[in-house]
Structures are given as structure tokens and as C-alpha cells.
Amino acid sequence: MTIDSITDQSPQAPAKHSSIMENWSQYIKDIPFHCFVINEDGIVFQSEGNTQGVFKRAEQYVGLSIFELNDAFAAITHEIKETLNGETHNLSLVINGERFNVWMAPQQTSNQDISSAVVFCLAISQPDHYQSSLQEIQKHYFLFAEYTKDIVTKYTPEGICTYVSPTVEKVLGYETDELLNKPLFEFFHPDDLKSKRRLFKNLLEDPSDQTICYRVRRKDGEHIWLETNITLIDSSHHHSSHEVIAVSRDITERKETEERLLYLANYDSLTGLPNRALFRDRLRRAIARAQRNDSHVALMFLDLDRFKNINDSLGHHAGDQLLRGVARRLKQYARKGDTIARLGGDEFTVILEGINNADDAAVVAKKILELMEPPFKVDGHEVAASTSIGITLYPDDAADMRTLLKNADTAMYRSKEKGRNHYQFYTADMNAKAYEYLLLENNLRHALDREEFRLYFQPQIDLHTQGIIGIEALLRWEHPEQGLLQPENFIPFAEETGLIIPIGEWVLRSACRHAVSWQKAGLPPVRVAVNLSMRQFRQKDFVQLIADALQETGLAPQYLELEITESFLAHNVEQATEILRDLHKLGVHLSIDDFGTGYSSLSYLKRFPLNTLKIDQSFVRDITTDPDGATIAEAIIALGQSLNLSVIAEGVEDHEQVFFLKGRGCDLAQGFFFSHPIASEKVIPWIKRNLNNQLLFEQRVLWPEAFRQ
Ligand code: C2E
Ligand code: MG
Ligand code: MG
């Protein structure tokens, strides 16, 4: 009987199949066995066997339910149903008085459903070699896969195809004859060839089941992904060597999904450039390679200038178009091996490998700036988009990724500060302050509108009369998060950014207004001293600005003192002379702050219409302990006297300093000894308490601790 004759009788048999036995016929020639193939309802549609005496003639079972064939099968109803649900079973069963090894396995249709199962029974009483044959048969069960969409193949260990299931035609387009006796590797994708060849070799050394994924060429020339389970079978008692059984499944769709997911995890969907995750990975690898090869890597951070304006004025859609345009230009320019990534927003980054030095990176940076020059077409508008670039080098600037990233960022912000459309290399003095500065700039800009500035006042004492002769206005910033900030934390920055001009004007007017209010409160007039920065001084119409402030606030000019730093006067003698003369004409008091620190020629002093020299506190600090400090202070006092200028000592903290200064003829003093700078609302009570109070003043000098503010 042939299988065909069985299947012809079977109403439930799948439309296309061939013999389930022909592929294992070599093993089962003399073995007493019986095999049933059942459909999903348990109805036998194939039956074959040679166990005379136990089973009836094979074909008599076709069309019957396996559960009703025999009590033994009825007893394993559960296992049979499990087999039809995809499980494999191996049991020992007594059928009609004889013990059988029963092996049951599911078969899948092309849409992965279980449509049938094989029940294979081998009499245990048979000689041992039949039992081992059973294992062979079980492995060769894969050859039943002609019913499934998997491709089953057999190879020699050298990879020569000795069997291929007909499914191959559907999946790969080849006739089975086109593959038989051909080397399997001939069909591999060139990129997979090397690793898979090695795998085959390893398999022979370590014969364990393995699953591999690789691409093969279809007959139409396209490559598809196969996932293949490989088993090595020792068929030495049939053949002279091993053979490899491979069950392969088309996983192209799954691979494509995987690749899509991988893409989404690593690429920016807007521009198609590597995203932050992939960028970090590439940078890590670039650093490792440079370390091995003793070479350099340049890391560039690019930030579009005023991107926010474009987004705000033309909308996000336009913003996206611009970003895509920028990405396109960058991609066109990139050399093979360079990484261009988008980190998010309008931030891009470039990793340059294999460069020799900073000059190479500069060439690229210049080129990128040029690339961005032509306007971009965005929603029918022509939009200009320059960028600012920060560059750092490995290993010159840093050896680790974190620091490199920080450096590039810092350099980029510096580049923006310098005026946009520039590139800037990182330098060691450019630490993270640049970034803090940017935040500061933002906040500082708003501090005036939000009225976060405060004036504190520090009295200046006449050491001869012990009276208050003046009071210095000192700026503070009441930062919403950081609390009260001292000028050293923001004035240098305000000077750098030019914000000192509006801030300085506020200080000036505000100080004048306070001075007027004290007078209005009935106190004797006290001169208010205002610190000026060089930038204010250089302003056009500066003198007019002072005149206006005085007029608007109603303060008489003699009650305003302007403190100017020595270095400005020393370096701008001509300009300063003119301005100081005008200010003098106006009637305001002029003093040189931090005197002695400018290391300048003193000859210019004569030319200026000054009133006061302020001895810098660094000299006063050591006046009683360090002979050099004492000598300088003495020299300044003497200089002041010779030029007919009053001299005020800053930073006086104890009574010994007071005695020393008074003894050397210093007229005035200011410092914590008399008072710390005090908040504006506390000024009136303070003056009231201390004005012309000689007794109190004397007591302070004698018992300073008890009276310190
Ligand atoms: P400055 O004009 O020399 O002000 C004197 C500084 O010394 C003040 O620091 C004051 O608080 C501090 N000081 C006063 N007495 C003592 C003392 O006995 N011991 C010590 N160790 N320090 C004392 P502050 O307020 O931090 O101001 C620092 C600098 O900031 C000022 O130095 C001035 O150059 C600048 N500044 C302050 N306000 C303004 C302003 O409105 N505009 C400008 N352009 N600069 C300002
Ligand atoms: Mg000052
Ligand atoms: Mg000073």
C-alpha cells in the first residue's frame, strides 16, 4: 500500500502533501510500527503500519476517531488533545496486550495553526536497535514539514544539500532540484557568509541544537530572512558521517519589525539622523578607537541661532521643515565615518574621527557655517538660519565622554556669546561657568522688570569729627531661588553682557531717590556714593544721564558721589579727563575706588578733578600686621594729602586699624567696624542713632565688640 492510496481515501486530508513515510523509509523497513495521522478532531486520515496481530490493517482505521480506536488511546485523550494544541508527547502504552513506545507530535499548517498530529507507535519488545531507530525517526519527523510553511533541509556537514522540502518553492521560489547537491552557502547573503560558515563548523565540534538567523537569496534575487533551527544527527549506522537537519522559517516580516523598532530607538524620526542614544554609542566607540590608534576625535555641538523665533513666528511645522533642511545639508557634507546626530530641539552634533589636530576640525566647522549660509525654503518663506558651534578634542581637552560633552556644550555657549554664526574651541578656562552664565543672563535680564534688585548702604565715617559724611550704595540681587546675591556673583557678568548699563542706571536713580528721602525725613544731608562700571562711564551722554538723574530725583549734585575704578582712568586718560571735568562742573563728588590695585602711574591723578581716594581694603586688612600693607596705606594717605584729596580707608574691621589710620592722618573710614552694609529701610534709624554721637563713637573705638552693628 502506498501513502497515496491512503490519502486518496481520506476526506479530511490537506490538499497538497506527499508521503509522510518516504523520508524515513530507510529507517523503518523492518520495524514493527503503526503510524496514524489525525486531523484536529482526532479523525484518522492516514494510517500505516506492519504490526500484525496488534493493529488491524492500516487502512481500516482511516475515517475513525482515534479516541475510539482502542481503550489505550481513550485513556490518553488528554495527551492527544494536547498534541493537537501543539505539544509533543512520548509515552509508554499497552495496546492489545503489547507494550508500545508512543510518540505524538503536532503538525502545523502554513498559517501556523495545528491542523493535524502524528501518532507513532513502536513495539517495545523489538530489539534495541529498533528503539534507537525510533529516535532517528523522531528527529526525521521534521521531514513531515512538507505540510507546514517551514522549509526542511538536510545537509552534509560541508553544507551540501541532500534534501529540501517542497515548501522551498513557495518561500524561496526554487524548485527542489535547483537546490539539491548544491552548497548551501551559495545562497547566503554575502554579509552573513563568514559567520554562518563558522557556525556550521562549530556545530560539528559541539553538536547541540542551535537557532540562527541569516539572509538568503530568493530566486527573484531578493534576500529574505530565515530563522533556522539546526540539529546535528549522528547517522553513522546508516551513513558514513553526520548530517545536519535544518528547519527554516521566513522571518522577514518579524525582522523588518525588529529593524523598525531598532531604528526608532536609535534614529530621530524627524530628520533621520542618529538620535542621542546612538550618538552616545558612536562617541563611546570613537573614543575607544582613538585610544587604540592613538588618534584624535573632534566633537562639535551645533545650535541653530534664534530657532525659537522661527518656531514662534512661523509655527512648529515650519520649524520642523527647517530642522530637516539643516539635517539634509549636514548629511550631504558628512564624510564616511563621521557621525551627525540630532540631540533634540535645534541641537545637532558632529563626531569627526581620524583628524590630526584642531585645524582639521576648524576646516569642518567653517565649512558647516558656510553650508548654512544660503537661506532655507520653509513653507514658501526664505529663512536664514545660522548656527553656533562649540568644539572639543579628544584626548587634548578630556579623556572621558562626560567631560567632552560638557566641554562641547560650554564652547558652544561661548560661541553664542561671542556673537552668533561662529565656531569656538573649548579652552581650559572655559569651565562650566559659561553655562551658568547663560542661565544667569536670562535671569538677570528679567531681574530689573521683576524688581529683584535691592540697594544696601554702608556708612562712611569722618575720623576727625566722628560724623557720618557719606554712605555707599551697594547693589544686591534678591534672586528668587538663590536668595540674596552679592555683586561679585553677577556684576562681572552684567558688565560682560552690557546689562550693567540699565542696571547701573537703576542704581543711580534709586540711590539719588533714597538720599532725597533721607533728607525729607529730616536728617542732615548725607552724600550717597554710587559705584560706576567702565561701560557706564564710556556711554555716550553719560554726563547728561547723571544730570537728568539728579534733576528727576531732586538731589543736589554735591550729595552725589561717583566711584570710578582706577584702571579705567589709567587706561583712558584723554576720554576720562573730559568726562571727569564735565562731571566736576556739574558739581558731583568724584572718587577713585579700590585705589592702589591698578598698578598704574600716578602722574595722571593730577590731571583729574578728583575729591577722594579710596584705599583698597586689601591694604587696610593687613595694616597693623604686615609692614608692606602699612607702607602702602601710609603712601596713599601721603599722596592724597599732597594732591589735596581726601582719603578714605575701605574695609576697616577693628579698632586697631582705626587707631593706625587716624594716627597717619587718614580722614575717613568705612568698614564692618562701623557698620555692615544695611538694607535701605534700616538706614534712617541707623543714622538717627549714630549721627554726631561722639560719645557713642568713642565707646565704639574703645569697646568695639559691644557696639558692633
Ligand atoms: P567696593 O565698591 O569696593 O565696595 C566695598 C565692598 O567691600 C563691598 O562689597 C562691601 O560690602 C565690602 N566691605 C565693606 N566693609 C568691609 C569690611 O570691613 N571688610 C570686608 N571684608 N569687606 C567690607 P560688596 O557689597 O560685595 O561689593 C563688592 C563690589 O561690587 C564693590 O566694591 C563694587 O566694586 C561692586 N559694586 C557694588 N555695587 C555696585 C553697583 O551698584 N555698581 C557697580 N558697577 N559695582 C558695584
Ligand atoms: Mg565702591
Ligand atoms: Mg572698593
Side-chain angles (χ1 to χ4, degrees), residues 454-456 458 472-476 485-492 495 500 503-504 506-508 529-534 536 563 565 593-594 614-617 620-621 649-654 657 670-677:
R454 306 276 175 267
L455 282 187
Y456 273 55
Q458 188 176 38
E472 181 175 2
L474 294 162
L475 184 60
R476 303 287 182 266
L485 296 183
Q486 304 296 313
E488 62 180 13
N489 295 320
F490 62 92
I491 294 256
E495 282 177 339
I500 193 67
I503 295 173
W506 177 87
V507 172
L508 177 73
V530 170
N531 291 283
L532 290 180
S533 100
M534 286 195 221
Q536 286 174 278
E563 295 193 6
T565 52
D593 204 355
D594 305 338
K614 299 190 75 174
I615 309 176
D616 189 69
Q617 51 180 278
V620 177
R621 192 183 306 132
E650 292 189 279
V652 176
E653 292 187 355
D654 57 45
Q657 291 166 335
Q670 174 183 352
F672 296 167
F673 177 70
F674 305 104
S675 172
H676 279 258

Side-chain angles (χ1 to χ4, degrees), residues 164-184:
V164 56
S165 62
T167 354
V168 78
E169 204 179 320
K170 221 164 51 205
V171 182
L172 292 174
Y174 300 105
E175 303 275 332
T176 48
D177 288 350
E178 290 178 273
L179 301 175
L180 281 174
N181 302 317
K182 295 261 172 62
L184 135 99

Side-chain angles (χ1 to χ4, degrees), residues 191-206:
D191 292 352
D192 297 333
L193 199 57
K194 209 167 139 198
S195 59
K196 303 311 165 202
R197 228 186 241 284
R198 199 180 318 122
L199 196 113
F200 258 79
K201 215 173 136 265
N202 292 346
L203 189 68
L204 290 176
E205 284 156 20
D206 175 21

Side-chain angles (χ1 to χ4, degrees), residues 240-442:
S240 53
S241 64
H242 299 79
E243 55 185 351
V244 176
I245 294 206
V247 181
S248 308
R249 179 165 300 178
D250 178 1
I251 54 154
T252 311
E253 215 171 282
R254 191 184 88 198
K255 263 294 194 219
E256 279 169 1
T257 312
E258 266 173 31
E259 273 167 18
R260 181 90 201 122
L261 288 176
L262 201 69
Y263 180 84
L264 289 176
N266 285 297
Y267 289 86
D268 165 42
S269 53
L270 180 69
T271 60
L273 291 176
N275 65 8
R276 189 181 286 273
L278 184 57
F279 155 72
R280 292 181 74 92
D281 185 54
R282 296 260 180 96
L283 181 60
R284 196 175 297 115
R285 286 164 198 263
I287 291 172
R289 266 192 297 272
Q291 202 170 16
R292 275 198 305 276
N293 307 336
D294 209 9
S295 60
H296 297 255
V297 177
L299 173 64
M300 293 186 182
F301 267 26
L302 282 71
D303 194 284
L304 298 190
D305 300 329
R306 301 188 186 85
F307 177 71
K308 201 176 164 298
N309 289 356
I310 295 165
N311 236 357
D312 290 349
S313 53
L314 298 177
H316 285 286
H317 178 67
D320 286 354
Q321 269 186 299
L322 177 63
L323 292 173
R324 269 197 291 264
V326 169
R328 234 184 336 264
R329 286 190 195 174
L330 290 173
K331 266 193 267 191
Q332 273 164 13
Y333 173 63
R335 300 172 309 170
K336 196 167 176 284
D338 292 347
T339 291
I340 293 178
R342 177 173 172 238
L343 299 189
D346 59 341
E347 283 179 319
F348 293 85
T349 171
V350 179
I351 304 169
L352 299 177
E353 287 190 64
I355 56 157
N356 296 318
N357 48 39
D359 291 348
D360 288 356
V363 170
V364 175
K366 270 187 217 147
K367 186 75 201 168
I368 291 176
L369 292 179
E370 264 171 40
L371 271 179
M372 297 300 152
E373 258 167 33
F376 290 83
K377 261 247 157 28
V378 169
D379 264 356
H381 301 270
E382 296 238 307
V383 174
S386 62
T387 88
S388 296
I389 304 177
I391 313 170
T392 190
L393 295 177
Y394 169 91
D396 315 50
D397 298 333
D400 66 292
M401 191 159 114
R402 236 182 100 234
T403 318
L404 282 170
L405 292 172
K406 217 173 76 196
N407 290 352
D409 206 28
T410 304
M412 195 272 292
Y413 277 117
R414 266 297 152 99
S415 151
K416 274 207 193 288
E417 269 169 31
K418 269 174 55 177
R420 294 146 198 261
N421 198 23
H422 275 95
Y423 68 89
Q424 169 74 55
F425 278 93
Y426 173 80
T427 55
D429 57 349
M430 232 188 246
N431 45 34
K433 276 227 149 57
Y435 180 68
E436 285 167 26
Y437 267 25
L438 200 86
L439 279 181
L440 196 63
E441 179 184 348
N442 245 338

Side-chain angles (χ1 to χ4, degrees), residues 34-46:
H34 202 105
C35 177
F36 303 97
V37 184
I38 55 173
N39 74 6
E40 55 210 307
D41 301 319
I43 307 296
V44 176
F45 64 84
Q46 290 184 20

